[in-house]
């Protein structure tokens, strides 16, 4: 079975002499912390209202 971890490229771990990576990791953006515009808020509200109208409108129409 082939091992894809490339052991030959890894230096031996030495807890006494830890070397930090040469470059910084890329910046990540996660949804809850991201900025958003009022246009995006408006779109979300419209989508929510349409979804609620369809969900309860169909249920009430069939009752």
């Amino acid at each position: 079975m082939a091992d894809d971890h490339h052991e030959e490229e890894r230096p031996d771990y030495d807890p006494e002499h830890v070397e930090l990576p040469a470059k910084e990791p890329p910046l990540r953006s996660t949804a809850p912390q991201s900025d958003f515009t009022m246009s995006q808020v408006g779109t979300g509200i419209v989508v929510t209202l349409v979804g609620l109208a369809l969900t309860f409108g169909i249920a009430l129409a069939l009752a």
Side-chain angles (χ1 to χ4, degrees):
M1 184 167 144
D3 185 39
D4 292 332
H5 292 291
H6 306 288
E7 293 292 335
E8 66 277 357
E9 295 177 12
R10 289 186 186 178
D12 291 333
Y13 179 68
D14 181 7
E16 297 291 325
H17 300 91
V18 177
E19 291 185 30
L20 297 176
K23 64 178 186 173
E24 293 182 17
L27 294 175
R28 293 185 342 157
S29 175
T30 55
Q33 290 81 20
S34 298
D35 291 333
F36 49 88
T37 64
M38 289 308 292
S39 172
Q40 292 170 323
V41 172
T43 301
I45 291 171
V46 169
V47 168
T48 301
L49 292 176
V50 168
L52 289 172
L54 287 174
T55 301
F56 292 107
I58 290 173
L60 291 174
L62 294 176

